[in-house]
């Protein structure tokens, strides 16, 4: 399990090894996500490698999957949101000039942040979400009860 992971690339750069293999479970400290929409992580697993492609460049190829805990956009309850993505890129593109070390947590964090949805809900029964003069409706109900449906039919846009 990786909590703080700096990967040394000096053996790769000196052609002592062909690749740095990564197959680890990742843990992010709360500091990483405390000012974000993420409430926590159930798990994160990363598998892949870093290889030398040219004298001045390394290639990273990682498969990342996990499950983050977010607040439901409607019920405001904690819900699990699965995610997976692939990182395939040149480390020079990612880090600039290719250093002898890489902080794998920083690289992963930059990509995990992109996976956080703007809105996410697991609510299926909207009837529980109503009050005095208002109620939450689904997109389907909004389309059914649209007062402009007749006008849209005339223009063939429905």
């Amino acid at each position: 399990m990786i909590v703080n992971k700096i990967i040394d690339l000096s053996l790769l750069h000196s052609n002592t090894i062909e690749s740095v293999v990564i197959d680890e479970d990742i843990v992010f400290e709360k500091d990483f996500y405390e000012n974000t929409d993420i409430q926590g992580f159930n798990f994160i697993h990363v598998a892949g490698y870093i290889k030398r492609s040219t004298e001045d460049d390394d290639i990273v190829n990682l498969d990342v999957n996990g499950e983050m805990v977010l607040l439901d956009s409607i019920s405001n309850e904690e819900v699990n949101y699965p995610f997976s993505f692939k990182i395939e890129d040149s480390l020079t593109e990612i880090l600039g000039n290719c250093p002898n070390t890489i902080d794998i947590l920083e690289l992963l964090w930059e990509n995990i942040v992109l996976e956080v949805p703007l809105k996410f809900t697991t609510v299926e029964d909207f009837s529980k979400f109503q009050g005095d003069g208002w109620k939450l409706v689904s997109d389907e109900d909004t389309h059914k009860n649209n007062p402009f449906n007749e006008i849209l039919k005339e223009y063939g846009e429905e």
Side-chain angles (χ1 to χ4, degrees):
M1 190 174 296
I2 299 176
V3 175
N4 185 5
K5 185 64 172 182
I6 304 294
I7 296 176
D8 184 4
L9 302 175
S10 58
L11 292 177
L12 183 66
H13 293 165
S14 66
N15 293 322
T16 306
I17 58 174
E18 277 189 38
S19 66
V20 175
V21 177
I22 302 167
D23 189 7
E24 301 283 341
D25 292 324
I26 305 293
V27 174
F28 282 103
E29 296 294 323
K30 188 157 178 71
D31 297 351
F32 269 94
Y33 58 86
E34 75 180 338
N35 292 320
T36 69
D37 292 340
I38 299 171
Q39 303 299 303
F41 292 96
N42 291 332
F43 72 93
I44 302 170
H45 185 79
V46 59
Y49 58 86
I50 300 173
K51 284 188 175 181
R52 196 80 169 142
S53 72
T54 66
E55 263 317 293
D56 300 329
D57 194 19
D58 299 327
I59 298 294
V60 62
N61 188 324
L62 301 173
D63 290 311
V64 182
N65 62 61
E67 191 173 82
M68 64 181 82
V69 179
L70 303 172
L71 291 179
D72 189 290
S73 299
I74 294 176
S75 68
N76 211 29
E77 296 173 354
E78 288 188 350
V79 293
N80 297 327
Y81 181 77
F83 64 90
S84 66
F85 57 88
K86 191 168 188 73
I87 302 172
E88 290 179 300
D89 210 345
S90 156
L91 282 182
T92 303
E93 292 286 324
I94 297 169
L95 302 173
N97 61 359
C98 204
N100 282 330
T101 61
I102 178 175
D103 184 349
I104 194 73
L105 292 181
E106 291 292 336
L107 175 63
L108 293 173
W109 181 249
E110 290 173 6
N111 287 276
I112 288 172
V113 169
L114 297 174
E115 296 297 315
V116 178
L118 295 175
K119 294 180 182 178
F120 180 71
T121 186
T122 58
V123 172
E124 292 180 4
D125 182 12
F126 294 106
S127 66
K128 294 188 271 181
F129 301 96
Q130 58 187 351
D132 187 20
W134 70 272
K135 69 178 181 176
L136 189 63
V137 295
S138 68
D139 286 339
E140 190 176 283
D141 289 340
T142 302
H143 187 69
K144 263 194 292 189
N145 300 322
N146 186 347
F148 299 102
N149 279 343
E150 292 301 317
I151 295 170
L152 292 173
K153 282 182 189 175
E154 289 177 23
Y155 290 101
E157 293 186 21
E158 187 178 62

